[in-house]
Amino acid sequence: MADIPVGDATKGKKLFVQRCDQCHTVDKGGKHKTGPNLHGLFGRKTGQAPGFSYTDANKNKGITWGEDTLWVYLENPKKYIPGTKMIFAGLKKKKERADLIAYLKASTSN
């Protein structure tokens, strides 16, 4: 597993609003937008949010979302899942990725 720094969920929320909110929601029962609702993300396999139409690339990736997989994915989504329809270029800064993961972990759990 990558050496993931401790993130700040408050800073991660700001990043989510700036970079992710236009395509994703995090609330339990939240609607899908261009991207899937992310509630329950941790521990879920790729391409498995009920009611969202995923690419075959996402459905067939076969990994389970967690801090380690999100760490790699959020750096360069198209490299990690070639064929994904997610247009987000990624977060190159380690601290930003750590902050976003901390926010997602706090905001998407039950």
Side-chain angles (χ1 to χ4, degrees):
M1 185 163 121
D3 189 20
I4 303 170
V6 175
D8 180 327
T10 302
K11 290 179 180 176
K13 182 175 183 175
K14 290 178 187 174
L15 274 169
F16 184 86
V17 169
Q18 293 169 347
R19 309 266 184 98
C20 314
D21 188 50
Q22 60 272 28
C23 294
H24 295 282
T25 58
V26 293
D27 304 318
K28 186 173 185 173
K31 66 178 183 167
H32 297 306
K33 294 182 175 182
T34 303
N37 170 276
L38 300 176
H39 194 270
L41 175 68
F42 286 79
R44 183 168 69 208
K45 287 200 177 291
T46 51
Q48 300 298 314
F52 187 77
S53 177
Y54 287 94
T55 62
D56 286 342
N58 278 67
K59 289 187 273 189
N60 297 332
K61 181 66 176 179
I63 57 102
T64 300
W65 291 120
E67 289 181 34
D68 55 339
T69 50
L70 283 168
W71 180 254
V72 178
Y73 179 72
L74 290 171
E75 182 178 16
N76 189 337
K78 289 189 179 294
K79 182 177 178 184
Y80 191 63
I81 303 181
T84 185
K85 62 183 174 183
M86 187 158 123
I87 59 170
F88 181 61
L91 293 171
K92 306 304 179 217
K93 294 179 182 174
K94 291 180 179 184
K95 185 66 176 127
E96 287 183 349
R97 270 185 285 149
D99 292 345
L100 182 58
I101 290 168
Y103 171 70
L104 289 172
K105 195 167 188 184
S107 65
T108 65
S109 60
N110 291 326

